Amino acid sequence: MEISVISFNVDCLSLNRQSEFSWENRKNNNKYFIDTVNNDIVCLQEACGENIEFFLANQTKMDFYKGVGIINSEGIKIYNPIFWNDSFKMIKKGRFYLEEITEKSETIWDSCELRCVSWVLLMDIRDKSRFIIVNTHLDSKGSVARKEASKMIAEFIKQLSDQEYCPVILCGDFNSRPWFPADENQLEYGELIWPGYLPTDDCYNLFRKEGFTDSYLFFYDVDNLDSNTYHDYNGDIFPKVGLRIDWQLVWDENTKNIEVRSYNLYKEVIVSDHYPVLCKYNINSTVA
């Protein structure tokens, strides 16, 4: 069974942007994107109600799980929804906040906003293959929050995979770079990059050490600076700084039955400040 999975930060309504980048003025490009790509499964980040309604209205035979909403810095409730077409049946679903819970309090570390995770267990109705899709969006400011959230997510996925005995595809905007030069001088990249703009934490290697596979590395031997998934509405003009913050990671320690077939970024038209990440996977039948 081959499935196409899209991970895409849709940038909500872009209220803090120039009018040309507002959601209203990006709708046509997003409609074109939806119409021209294979979208078995779509994971959105920073999606508000209007974004979700638009995607549902423009994708035939799609169901979705919205997950839990959080209020962003603009006062808008946003979600990490997961969409799937009618080839799949949802078996289970869930969501949780990324926060530290103690006996006395709940904190979000150094995060600027509360963050969350959505997940679904899907079954392909054609061959009964089962797999889990997890969707998240880590904090844009807090390096401690990203690290601690990554630990939570990795542990959750391993436990869920053990319980359900099927592979997991983790999608999201992780706001962290997998790689950057050890001697990097961020001042050398030009006026679009200022000191401290580029993240330098190491939550990516936390996932790799836990056994997660990066879909990108199936087709590129090493990471490099020419791998941006974030471009701030500048497209190819944006400096090559290795800002590959949108990932699709695979956990398959139990069944060994998922294969990454392709990895691409959608660049035909500008749909957001991020490029959508498009991957294809082969998943063999899993015994429930």
Side-chain angles (χ1 to χ4, degrees), residues 75-123:
I76 300 173
K77 183 172 280 191
I78 56 174
Y79 303 84
N80 298 319
I82 303 170
F83 300 78
W84 58 89
N85 67 26
D86 61 356
S87 296
F88 308 99
K89 176 182 179 182
M90 184 179 69
I91 307 300
K92 293 182 181 180
K93 62 184 178 181
R95 76 289 188 284
F96 58 91
Y97 292 113
L98 293 168
E99 58 185 347
E100 182 181 31
I101 301 175
T102 66
E103 293 181 1
K104 296 182 179 180
S105 65
E106 298 176 5
T107 67
I108 54 174
W109 305 288
D110 59 346
S111 178
C112 64
E113 296 178 359
L114 180 64
R115 304 287 175 164
C116 59
V117 171
S118 306
W119 65 271
V120 293
L121 170 60
L122 299 177
M123 182 183 70

Side-chain angles (χ1 to χ4, degrees), residues 7 12 17 31-32 51 58-59 75 84 91 102 104 110 120 122 127 186 200-201 209 224 236 249 283:
S7 183
C12 193
R17 299 285 191 175
K31 175 68 164 60
Y32 180 80
N51 304 134
N58 287 281
Q59 297 181 115
W84 58 89
I91 307 300
T102 66
K104 296 182 179 180
D110 59 346
V120 293
L122 299 177
D127 70 354
Q186 297 190 14
T200 57
D201 57 78
K209 289 175 182 177
N224 60 73
D236 289 337
L249 307 179
I283 301 179

Side-chain angles (χ1 to χ4, degrees), residues 141-157:
K141 301 294 183 183
S143 58
V144 174
R146 289 194 293 269
K147 179 180 178 181
E148 295 303 323
S150 296
K151 291 178 182 177
M152 286 182 64
I153 293 168
E155 186 60 30
F156 169 78
I157 285 175

Side-chain angles (χ1 to χ4, degrees), residues 1-206:
M1 178 193 67
E2 184 175 270
I3 62 170
S4 299
V5 179
I6 297 172
S7 183
F8 174 31
N9 184 321
V10 72
D11 198 26
C12 193
L13 301 179
S14 309
L15 296 180
N16 61 341
R17 299 285 191 175
Q18 299 168 227
S19 61
E20 63 182 298
F21 304 133
S22 70
W23 173 245
E24 192 63 33
N25 288 327
R26 288 189 286 122
K27 281 184 177 180
N28 287 340
N29 280 0
N30 273 272
K31 175 68 164 60
Y32 180 80
F33 165 61
I34 292 169
D35 290 343
T36 56
V37 298
N38 189 341
N39 52 356
D40 293 328
I41 296 166
V42 180
C43 294
L44 297 182
Q45 300 90 38
E46 287 190 31
C48 66
E50 188 171 337
N51 304 134
I52 294 171
E53 290 172 6
F54 178 86
F55 270 74
L56 285 175
N58 287 281
Q59 297 181 115
T60 59
K61 300 179 181 179
M62 295 287 278
D63 201 353
F64 81 110
Y65 174 57
K66 187 162 62 174
V68 64
I70 61 173
I71 303 298
N72 70 5
S73 58
E74 298 171 351
I76 300 173
K77 183 172 280 191
I78 56 174
Y79 303 84
N80 298 319
I82 303 170
F83 300 78
W84 58 89
N85 67 26
D86 61 356
S87 296
F88 308 99
K89 176 182 179 182
M90 184 179 69
I91 307 300
K92 293 182 181 180
K93 62 184 178 181
R95 76 289 188 284
F96 58 91
Y97 292 113
L98 293 168
E99 58 185 347
E100 182 181 31
I101 301 175
T102 66
E103 293 181 1
K104 296 182 179 180
S105 65
E106 298 176 5
T107 67
I108 54 174
W109 305 288
D110 59 346
S111 178
C112 64
E113 296 178 359
L114 180 64
R115 304 287 175 164
C116 59
V117 171
S118 306
W119 65 271
V120 293
L121 170 60
L122 299 177
M123 182 183 70
D124 188 289
I125 61 176
R126 297 161 292 189
D127 70 354
K128 310 305 180 186
S129 299
R130 298 161 65 252
F131 57 94
I132 297 163
I133 301 290
V134 179
N135 187 25
T136 193
H137 185 190
L138 300 191
D139 197 66
S140 59
K141 301 294 183 183
S143 58
V144 174
R146 289 194 293 269
K147 179 180 178 181
E148 295 303 323
S150 296
K151 291 178 182 177
M152 286 182 64
I153 293 168
E155 186 60 30
F156 169 78
I157 285 175
K158 290 192 293 182
Q159 291 180 3
L160 185 61
S161 180
D162 286 345
Q163 176 183 325
E164 301 297 341
Y165 197 71
C166 60
V168 180
I169 300 171
L170 168 60
C171 296
D173 173 0
F174 292 82
N175 275 308
S176 183
R177 292 189 291 170
W179 174 87
F180 51 89
D183 58 350
E184 180 179 57
N185 179 359
Q186 297 190 14
L187 291 174
E188 295 179 347
Y189 292 132
E191 62 181 12
L192 291 176
I193 306 297
W194 58 88
Y197 180 84
L198 302 174
T200 57
D201 57 78
D202 198 31
C203 70
Y204 174 82
N205 282 326
L206 185 150

